[in-house]
Amino acid sequence: AIDANGYVWIKDPGRPWADLRLDLCAQPSRSESECPPETLVTGTFTRTAVDEWGATDTGQTWTAVGGVAADYSVSGGTGRHSLPAVNSSRGTVVPSTTADVDVMVDWTLPDTPAGDFHYVYAAARFADTTHAYLSRVRVSTAGVMQLSLRKLNVTETQIGTAVTLPFIFIPGSFYTLRFQIR
């Protein structure tokens, strides 16, 4: 279970001798975030780009995961993933030189989901599209948001208990998702 501070200790089946502390943080506002960023990789998206995200402010190249080039763009201070169909997924990753990471993502959706859930992920220890740790926000058609921790090892498995967030999704509002592994 994830406690009120957002911490969960787990055993990594691949390293049974090692405990992993996974820190989760979700805040309803960028301006009042209690999730301060680390600065090894930053992206403020102050440029305009079509068919890609280009490079981060710190020089790493964003790599698109899924879809076609036209599904990725940068403008108005945001990097965007366009999802052309139901059950489609898009992502962008940057290389990490360490297994211990602190990922913070400001995200929004233009509309409340209709017909099914929308999912927003932050990944850590991303090896490829079938191997990573994930923090996931599930947004329901009623705007209810649920946070969970997941392990992707070919199939996606939830770790611990999901937590319903104490605020409702508002279309166009930004939310901060922070995911740490140490």
Side-chain angles (χ1 to χ4, degrees), residues 164-181:
T164 299
L165 299 179
F167 42 87
I168 298 295
F169 172 76
I170 299 169
S173 293
F174 276 89
Y175 299 87
T176 299
L177 175 61
R178 182 177 182 183
F179 183 30
Q180 297 176 320
I181 296 182

Side-chain angles (χ1 to χ4, degrees), residues 69-113:
D71 295 336
Y72 300 88
S73 64
V74 175
S75 67
T78 61
R80 299 176 187 198
H81 297 152
S82 297
L83 302 175
V86 174
N87 294 324
S88 59
S89 177
R90 302 294 178 267
T92 42
V93 296
V94 293
S96 174
T97 57
T98 177
D100 296 345
V101 296
D102 185 349
V103 179
M104 186 183 311
V105 179
D106 290 332
W107 64 272
T108 187
L109 300 170
D111 298 304
T112 300

Side-chain angles (χ1 to χ4, degrees), residues 101-140:
V101 296
D102 185 349
V103 179
M104 186 183 311
V105 179
D106 290 332
W107 64 272
T108 187
L109 300 170
D111 298 304
T112 300
D116 203 352
F117 299 104
H118 281 266
Y119 299 97
V120 176
Y121 290 90
R125 297 186 181 166
F126 180 89
D128 56 45
T129 58
T130 60
H131 297 89
Y133 284 98
L134 309 166
S135 58
R136 182 184 85 176
V137 177
R138 182 180 79 173
V139 183
S140 77

